[in-house]
Amino acid sequence: MSNSKRLFQRARKVIPSGINSPVRYYDPYPFFVKKADGSSLWDEDGKRYLDFCNGYGALMLGHRRREVISSAQSQLKKGTLYCAPTELEVELSELISGNYPSMRKVRLVNTGSEATMTAIRLARGFTKRKKIVKFEGCYHGAHDYVLVKAGSGAAHNGISVSEGGLEEVSQNTLVVQYNNAGELAALLEREKDVAAVIIEPVLANMGLVPPGKEFLRDVRKITQENGNLLIFDEVVTGFRMSPGGAQGYFSIMPDITTLGKALGNGFVIAAVGGRADVMDMLSPEGKVYQASTYAGNPLSVSAAISSVRTMNRLKGKIYPVLERGCRKMAKAIGDMATDMGIPHQINSISSMFQIFFTGEPVVDYSTAKAADQAKFKAMFGALLKEGVFVAPSQFETAFLSYAHTDVEIGRAIDAYGMALRVVKG
Ligand SMILES: Cc1ncc(COP(=O)(O)O)c(C=O)c1O
């Protein structure tokens, strides 16, 4: 019996479903990880995988990036939690504000879910309005405000509204189609009690769905016209699409932004920031409450400072190299699927891509849902055999990291070729 199988049997006795986040499960059991380095993961049976899951986008610089690890190591000698302010927190917030001009003030938190929960509460406190609007298929974390028609594991597991969530909460979350500015405009025209519109500027939790040409600009305009705050959830896109995230990439200023994942490059940290007048609503000066024991802990903050500094220092290389690698992968995979006569779509932007087994363009939740998930599952299994790890769901995205070499990208393309032959049958 493999070590992963044995560990999974042990895990199931003490961990619900044997895993600590739903998308990590797949049939018949997931591989258990022993270690990671650079572009790769090694499982408990000694097999190596090229990692294109990349911490669901967090590991922009790859596993164990030298500068990030050495910052954390030097911080370890000075303590890991003070629960009193540090210069490090000021420095990181200044760095974030410098990269994201819309984030005049920043609070550091631990997870993306915490960041979006705070962003929404802030928007309600600031506008004194009750409702929020989200887009079908966007995932903003595992809390009740946003767990309505969400993407990621919720879509993968067919959960539209989570059991245990209160209807009184979910009925205040209105949902419209991604890439449909007309539907948003009509809703906001009708509905005057909307505090904020929250959006993933690039939808990375329903597979990958980039915004149409004018979509984000239209969303900005419509929210401004209707007095709604615009929350860009950049937990995935922050630092990944550009040093200034998707808002830098597309030149759009939201009112509030959430960051996570690549901010810490593998360390637990997230942030919420925005207009000073909005952020100043936070307690103790303001009346909107947010708090956390581990917020701004010096270990994560020192790692994040190092991540941001490294991404800023190498930005002239990192972003073009990743974009080129991603375009190469997406094109090669698409060409192979076309040559094999497999109906498919490949969506890609920046360092993110996904393949959908469908003949129709994927532009929103419904068109993503129309893709053949059985084929995706077959491809995922075959990729694993070939030593390539992508997220085990159609409703996730493949991410490149700066640690992937050209040779490894070539190997991954070959693995996709083998996997597509399995899909073809
Ligand atoms: C866009 C987006 N927002 C928020 C979250 C929640 O972040 P976390 O899992 O750190 O709570 C995620 C997680 O995948 C995400 O993709």
Side-chain angles (χ1 to χ4, degrees), residues 77-99:
K77 294 183 197 134
K78 300 183 219 160
T80 56
L81 185 65
Y82 307 142
C83 287
T86 59
E87 185 176 352
L88 291 171
E89 292 160 89
V90 185
E91 194 179 333
L92 180 56
S93 303
E94 286 169 350
L95 273 171
I96 293 174
S97 258
N99 278 24

Side-chain angles (χ1 to χ4, degrees), residues 56 111-114 116 139-142 152 200 205 233 235-236 261:
Y56 290 84
T111 65
S113 298
E114 236 184 297
T116 60
Y139 178 72
H140 303 292
S152 185
E200 285 185 73
N205 282 289
D233 179 357
V235 167
V236 168
K261 301 203 192 242

Side-chain angles (χ1 to χ4, degrees), residues 33-211:
V33 179
K34 193 171 183 81
K35 64 169 189 180
D37 194 38
S39 61
S40 302
L41 293 168
W42 282 260
D43 74 11
E44 287 282 356
D45 295 284
K47 180 167 172 167
R48 178 180 177 177
Y49 302 85
L50 285 175
D51 186 8
F52 290 92
C53 177
N54 260 311
Y56 290 84
L59 295 147
M60 175 77 179
L61 297 169
H63 294 277
R64 300 185 67 247
R65 174 78 194 186
R66 187 173 24 91
E67 297 92 329
V68 180
I69 296 296
S70 80
S71 288
Q73 273 166 341
S74 39
Q75 183 56 43
L76 276 175
K77 294 183 197 134
K78 300 183 219 160
T80 56
L81 185 65
Y82 307 142
C83 287
T86 59
E87 185 176 352
L88 291 171
E89 292 160 89
V90 185
E91 194 179 333
L92 180 56
S93 303
E94 286 169 350
L95 273 171
I96 293 174
S97 258
N99 278 24
Y100 295 77
S102 73
M103 298 175 80
R104 287 276 294 108
K105 290 196 176 180
V106 181
R107 271 267 166 105
L108 301 175
V109 293
N110 304 289
T111 65
S113 298
E114 236 184 297
T116 60
M117 182 179 72
T118 304
I120 291 167
R121 189 176 296 145
L122 257 175
R124 287 184 166 135
F126 183 79
T127 59
K128 312 282 182 272
R129 297 179 184 178
K130 201 165 169 183
K131 296 184 178 168
I132 59 157
V133 175
K134 76 178 282 288
F135 293 84
E136 212 172 0
C138 283
Y139 178 72
H140 303 292
H143 58 86
D144 288 3
Y145 296 169
V146 287
L147 218 43
V148 182
K149 297 246 175 99
S152 185
H156 186 68
N157 293 301
I159 293 172
S160 172
V161 176
S162 170
E163 281 189 19
L166 290 176
E167 207 195 316
E168 294 87 324
V169 176
S170 57
Q171 74 193 6
N172 288 304
T173 302
L174 312 175
V175 182
V176 290
Q177 285 290 329
Y178 194 77
N179 271 329
N180 189 338
E183 193 185 352
L184 177 70
L187 175 75
L188 293 178
E189 189 61 34
R190 231 176 26 244
E191 193 52 78
K192 290 300 165 204
D193 198 21
V194 172
V197 173
I198 184 167
I199 188 166
E200 285 185 73
V202 172
L203 210 184
N205 282 289
M206 208 55 213
L208 183 77
V209 184

Side-chain angles (χ1 to χ4, degrees), residues 100-106 122 126-127 220 223-224 227-230 253-257 272-282:
Y100 295 77
S102 73
M103 298 175 80
R104 287 276 294 108
K105 290 196 176 180
V106 181
L122 257 175
F126 183 79
T127 59
R220 178 65 281 189
T223 47
Q224 247 151 7
N228 321 109
L229 294 185
L230 177 59
M253 289 275 271
D255 301 297
I256 306 179
T257 298
V272 51
R275 282 165 40 181
D277 55 345
V278 176
M279 294 304 292
D280 283 338
M281 296 290 293
L282 283 177

Side-chain angles (χ1 to χ4, degrees), residues 10-31:
R10 230 175 101 196
R12 277 220 311 201
K13 293 186 185 141
V14 284
I15 302 174
S17 307
I19 38 79
N20 275 310
S21 196
V23 187
R24 293 182 200 171
Y25 176 77
Y26 48 87
D27 280 341
Y29 55 87
F31 69 81

Side-chain angles (χ1 to χ4, degrees), residues 304-315:
I305 289 172
S306 183
S307 293
V308 176
R309 283 230 183 96
T310 306
M311 291 185 281
N312 282 351
R313 183 167 50 84
L314 297 177
K315 67 177 181 230

